[in-house]
Amino acid sequence: MTELDLVLARKEAVADGVARLTLRDPRGGPLPEWEPGAHVDLLLGEGLERQYSLCGDPADRSELAVAVLREPDSRGGSAYVHDRLAEGDTVRVRGPRNNFALVDSPRYLFLAGGVGITPILPMVAAAHSRGADWRLVYGGRTRASMAFADVLTDTYGDRVELRPQDETGLLPLDSLLAAPEPDTAVYCCGPEPLLAEVERRCATWPPGALHVERFSPKQGADAGPRQAFEVELAHSGVTLLVPPDKSILEVVEDAGIPVLSSCQEGTCGTCETEVREGVPDHRDSLLTDEEREAGETMMICVSRSCGPRLVLEL
């Protein structure tokens, strides 16, 4: 996967507590192609790696842009971005990667909460350019906390509905998702309570209608028994024991076998690995129900085995 050292060309406030970072190649070269829904990893030093959705224009290869919310309970990433990163600094970037791709559909309903608007921005632009029927309902704590709100309403008018919580309450999900709508793709990004409620209401929609992206694990995603099991690495030719208190990723790395990983929470997809034999015990927050049932891949940073043995393409 591509890793680049980019320069922070611009850092600007786009809402209360939200900073937009514009990253460019220091030599002016073109940056990797990407599509709406993609994200990158920022390697911030001191062991900090964080995933942020790209919110710029995919057609503009001269820059990559992300928006970062200052989290009050930051584990270090957002505080580093807001307090220590300055224009002119070098930032190592890995990616882009896309686990939230925009499917072709005649109709879209976009639901965004807070900084979850970032992957939705290029999606809205793409849907609009395709001539699709679309609607965006965007909520936030206050109007001042809602990044890009003015740009969205100025550009798209009444296709965009802004719903600051202190003015209108929570998003009206009961009416928005009251009944399945034919040929409609629902895209949602935001805080976990919003995602969970949208998933609950879309349970009766057609399979594949709902698309969500998380940057924190689902509540209870890693619950369940933790038994020891064996994992055979098909390419490396070794078999390893995974004890109850370690992940597959940890055991593989302890054996000296390099594996690309990032979040280690089952949300980013970096460590997704093909399963050759065995039944994975999926504990990630990324795969769809259909992908879980197929059992063809797994996130080895959190997922385990339903049986005594797995064979993986490692």
Side-chain angles (χ1 to χ4, degrees), residues 36 100-108 123 130 184-187 208-209 211:
F100 195 40
L102 186 68
V103 300
D104 287 328
S105 179
R107 188 176 298 108
Y108 299 94
M123 290 186 175
R130 294 175 187 176
T184 300
V186 180
Y187 277 80
H211 308 261

Side-chain angles (χ1 to χ4, degrees), residues 58-274:
D60 185 355
R61 301 276 305 278
S62 70
E63 64 183 40
L64 297 175
V66 300
V68 181
L69 172 68
R70 179 189 286 277
E71 298 280 2
D73 299 320
S74 171
R75 295 174 298 153
S78 73
Y80 189 102
V81 167
H82 280 264
D83 298 336
R84 298 179 59 178
L85 273 188
E87 292 181 1
D89 285 352
T90 297
V91 181
R92 192 157 186 81
V93 177
R94 180 191 297 140
R97 182 187 311 108
N98 201 340
N99 303 315
F100 195 40
L102 186 68
V103 300
D104 287 328
S105 179
R107 188 176 298 108
Y108 299 94
L109 173 61
F110 298 108
L111 303 172
V115 79
I117 191 62
T118 52
I120 302 297
L121 279 175
M123 290 186 175
V124 162
H128 194 73
S129 68
R130 294 175 187 176
D133 181 14
W134 66 271
R135 178 186 181 192
L136 166 63
V137 184
Y138 174 20
R141 292 179 294 100
T142 65
R143 193 173 294 269
S145 73
M146 297 170 66
F148 311 111
D150 290 343
V151 172
L152 284 163
T153 53
D154 289 348
T155 304
Y156 302 113
D158 60 6
R159 284 181 181 257
V160 177
E161 181 180 350
L162 301 181
R163 297 190 66 94
Q165 186 176 341
D166 63 341
E167 299 177 23
T168 63
L170 298 174
L171 296 188
L173 299 180
D174 286 336
S175 59
L176 291 169
L177 303 170
E181 295 185 17
D183 300 320
T184 300
V186 180
Y187 277 80
C188 183
C189 188
E192 180 57 32
L194 171 64
L195 299 178
E197 287 300 313
V198 169
E199 286 179 327
R200 183 172 69 82
R201 286 167 172 82
C202 284
T204 59
W205 285 57
L210 176 61
H211 308 261
V212 302
E213 180 160 61
R214 287 178 163 86
F215 287 107
S216 60
K218 283 184 181 181
Q219 186 174 3
D222 195 25
R226 300 181 66 87
Q227 304 295 330
F229 59 95
E230 286 187 345
V231 58
E232 179 183 336
L233 310 184
H235 295 301
S236 303
V238 299
T239 298
L240 304 170
L241 177 67
V242 181
D245 61 342
K246 284 196 171 186
S247 68
I248 298 173
L249 177 64
E250 290 173 312
V251 169
V252 171
E253 289 181 332
D254 287 347
I257 298 167
V259 180
L260 195 62
S261 66
S262 182
C263 73
Q264 306 203 15
E265 295 180 326
T267 59
C268 74
T270 306
C271 70
E272 186 171 8
T273 301
E274 185 176 342

Side-chain angles (χ1 to χ4, degrees), residues 291-307:
E291 290 168 332
R292 287 167 175 251
E293 186 175 348
E296 295 175 353
T297 67
M298 66 186 297
M299 308 304 160
I300 63 172
C301 64
V302 291
S303 295
R304 303 186 67 79
S305 178
C306 291

